[in-house]
Amino acid sequence: MWFQTEWDGVGIAFTDATEGNLAAHTGDEPEAVTRRRRALETELGLAPVRWVRQVHGTVVHDVTGTHVPRTAPEADAAVSADGTPLGILTADCLPVVLVGERPRAEPVLAVAHAGRKGLLEGVLQRTVAAVRGHGATGIRAWIGPAVCGRCYEVPPEMAAQAQRVLPGIVSTTDRGTPGLDLPGAARTLLGSLDVAVAPEGADRTAWCTLEHTELYSYRRDRTTGRLAGLVWSTAGKDDA
Ligand SMILES: [Zn+2]
């Protein structure tokens, strides 16, 4: 496990290669993926984790009060107001976990897959709105492992276009070429939405998927591996 913490009755985690590939859509053996997902649920003591079929869009799927579907719905974010565990899969794109506090009610949980496209098109704004839609007052976010601004090189036109949408997103790579700092832009954006970003992961070099082989990186390996960002309610669980 790359990172795991508990905050206000909620568990937050980001997996790494120790847990193995958790994506069913990247050409891995489906049985092996199912086995790893079950192992993860057992390790963390979770009810079935809800996943979505990610398409680099901005749709937020609300699982509150629903049963586990036969096929995962197409979406790039999910929200649950009843403590249902949520998972999001990435390899370089940003996994973001959100926890919304509610007075006299359990926290609202959310996950989002924010790559360049989703981030620029508003997936985080929509996810925050969905959390607030369940009555959350204060929201806290954890930005998981992703490619950092020193490693994510893009064509100059792409950098200029991104800069028009999210000023400050452009970085300079180690090679001195234009890049994008997705984690930094997400941090600024979430701050502007009154979301408190957790200090863990602030050092993006230390949390860079491309620079750490125990993290999955599509840009480095072109492999099937995806890591998971997870959030779940720990309320009512016996910690002994
Ligand atoms: Zn890096």
Side-chain angles (χ1 to χ4, degrees), residues 76-122:
D76 283 86
V79 60
S80 81
D82 58 7
T84 302
L86 303 173
I88 203 82
L89 299 162
T90 59
D92 296 337
C93 293
L94 282 182
V96 179
V97 169
L98 299 125
V99 179
E101 289 180 295
R102 292 189 291 187
R104 296 177 302 281
E106 68 177 296
V108 183
L109 314 179
V111 290
H113 159 232
R116 177 183 60 83
K117 190 160 177 292
L119 189 62
L120 293 175
E121 291 180 1

Side-chain angles (χ1 to χ4, degrees), residues 146-152 174 204-212:
V147 66
C148 82
R150 296 190 336 191
C151 294
Y152 184 22
D174 281 343
R204 294 315 305 188
T205 294
W207 283 50
C208 176
T209 44
L210 202 98
E211 294 177 66
H212 298 276

Side-chain angles (χ1 to χ4, degrees), residues 12-34:
I12 296 107
F14 296 105
T15 68
D16 59 22
T18 312
E19 284 73 34
N21 170 50
L22 294 161
H25 64 284
T26 54
D28 200 350
E29 287 289 331
E31 298 78 17
V33 173
T34 302

Side-chain angles (χ1 to χ4, degrees), residues 143 166-169 181-195 197:
I143 299 173
L166 287 179
I169 193 172
D181 176 8
L182 301 185
R187 181 171 287 271
T188 303
L189 175 62
L190 289 167
S192 76
L193 297 170
D194 273 331
V195 173
V197 181

Side-chain angles (χ1 to χ4, degrees), residues 32-54:
V33 173
T34 302
R35 201 163 52 239
R36 290 186 207 114
R37 287 180 173 184
R38 295 287 166 272
L40 184 64
E41 287 161 357
T42 302
E43 180 190 336
L44 299 173
L46 307 182
V49 172
R50 301 296 189 88
W51 309 93
V52 287
R53 231 158 358 102
Q54 301 168 200

